């Protein structure tokens, strides 16, 4: 029999999916966990920290003791204070590029917030680890050797430079990481740190920078009018390092 034209169409009783995708926009399949941002940001520094731990003292295929023996054989009387200055050299690079008119990834206030957050993460994690591990320095001056704070600071600054300027040129990051690597080498040449300390220190610095970017939720590229006329620059005075912040009110 023909259907009664006055019969109403069947009612869709499945209301659970009614508003899931009303416009029919294709939905991307979720990525596996190992392709997520957190894994990509932490895998390299985690491997560096792990390698550093594995070579503490006389452990590993090429241990910290082996590395120190070879370094002392080639450079028995090496001493310099350059590493104390180079730890903030990447920040000087970032400031110089900014003054030259090259736009970084973020405005100045967001960059300052990122630096502050990354520095807090690095300092707290490094000094807590130093206290927990209680590893003696090669020169036996104290038991705060692992990891290297100088190296962590240098690689954190280099990571900030790379993140802010990589869209302009990769060479900015290459230069910054080259400076950071020099700091790591000088810490061993100065007999202040073991191989394990500097490798793990580099991992702590990179990890702190990456976590700062992952957790930052400010409005990228947007600066309130109140913050116009702001500037920052590195500071080195009588052995102390830091950042200076300047604000000129606008009308």
């Amino acid at each position: 029999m023909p259907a009664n034209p006055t019969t109403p169409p069947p009612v869709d009783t499945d209301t659970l999916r009614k508003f899931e995708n009303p416009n029919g926009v294709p939905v991307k399949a979720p990525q596996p966990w190992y392709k997520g941002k957190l894994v990509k940001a932490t895998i390299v520094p985690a491997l560096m920290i792990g390698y550093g731990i594995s070579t503490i003292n006389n452990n590993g295929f090429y241990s910290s003791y082996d590395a120190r023996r070879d370094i002392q054989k080639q450079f028995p009387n090496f001493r310099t204070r350059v590493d104390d200055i180079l730890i903030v050299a990447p920040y000087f690079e970032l400031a110089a590029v900014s003054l030259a008119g090259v736009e970084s990834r973020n405005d100045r206030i967001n960059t300052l917030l990122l630096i502050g957050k990354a520095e807090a993460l690095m300092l707290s994690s490094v000094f807590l680890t130093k206290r927990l591990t209680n590893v003696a320095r090669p020169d036996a001056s104290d038991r705060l050797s692992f990891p290297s704070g100088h190296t962590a600071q240098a690689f954190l600054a280099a990571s900030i430079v790379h993140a802010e300027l990589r869209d302009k040129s990769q060479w900015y990051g290459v230069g910054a990481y080259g400076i950071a690597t020099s700091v790591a080498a000088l810490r061993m040449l100065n007999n202040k740190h073991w191989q394990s300390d500097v490798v793990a220190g580099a991992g702590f610095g990179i990890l702190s920078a990456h976590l700062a970017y992952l957790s930052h939720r400010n409005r990228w590229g947007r600066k309130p009018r109140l913050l116009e006329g702001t500037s920052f620059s590195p500071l080195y005075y009588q052995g102390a390092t830091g950042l200076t912040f300047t604000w000129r009110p606008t009308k």
Side-chain angles (χ1 to χ4, degrees), residues 163-180:
E164 290 297 320
L165 300 174
R166 64 187 174 193
D167 293 336
K168 301 299 180 181
S169 174
Q170 291 288 340
W171 288 107
Y172 294 120
V174 171
Y177 280 121
I179 293 171

Side-chain angles (χ1 to χ4, degrees), residues 223-231 246-251:
K223 182 168 61 175
R225 184 173 178 79
L226 178 64
L227 298 174
E228 291 180 0
T230 59
S231 63
T246 305
W247 174 55
R248 293 185 297 275
T250 56
K251 294 182 180 180

Side-chain angles (χ1 to χ4, degrees), residues 54-137:
S54 70
T55 59
I56 290 177
N57 296 334
N58 203 29
N59 298 311
F61 177 75
Y62 185 66
S63 70
S64 292
Y65 288 176
D66 295 331
R68 179 176 182 268
R69 182 194 62 234
D70 293 340
I71 291 171
Q72 290 295 302
K73 184 177 180 181
Q74 296 296 324
F75 307 95
N77 300 311
F78 186 91
R79 293 294 182 273
T80 183
R81 295 291 303 275
V82 176
D83 46 339
D84 293 332
I85 302 172
L86 288 181
I87 58 174
V88 292
Y91 285 148
F92 280 93
E93 177 187 353
L94 181 61
V97 170
S98 177
L99 291 174
V102 178
E103 292 187 3
S104 58
R105 175 181 173 183
N106 302 297
D107 58 78
R108 290 175 180 176
I109 191 63
N110 276 308
T111 303
L112 278 173
L113 290 171
L114 281 161
I115 290 173
K117 186 186 299 183
E119 291 283 351
L121 288 170
M122 183 274 294
L123 291 171
S124 58
S125 60
V126 164
F127 285 104
L128 177 62
T129 306
K130 282 178 178 289
R131 293 292 182 183
L132 292 175
T133 54
N134 197 36
V135 177
R137 293 183 187 270

Side-chain angles (χ1 to χ4, degrees), residues 141-180:
S141 59
D142 59 42
R143 301 190 67 86
L144 300 172
S145 191
F146 183 89
S148 168
H150 278 65
T151 308
Q153 174 63 72
F155 272 87
L156 184 156
S159 298
I160 295 289
V161 171
H162 175 66
E164 290 297 320
L165 300 174
R166 64 187 174 193
D167 293 336
K168 301 299 180 181
S169 174
Q170 291 288 340
W171 288 107
Y172 294 120
V174 171
Y177 280 121
I179 293 171

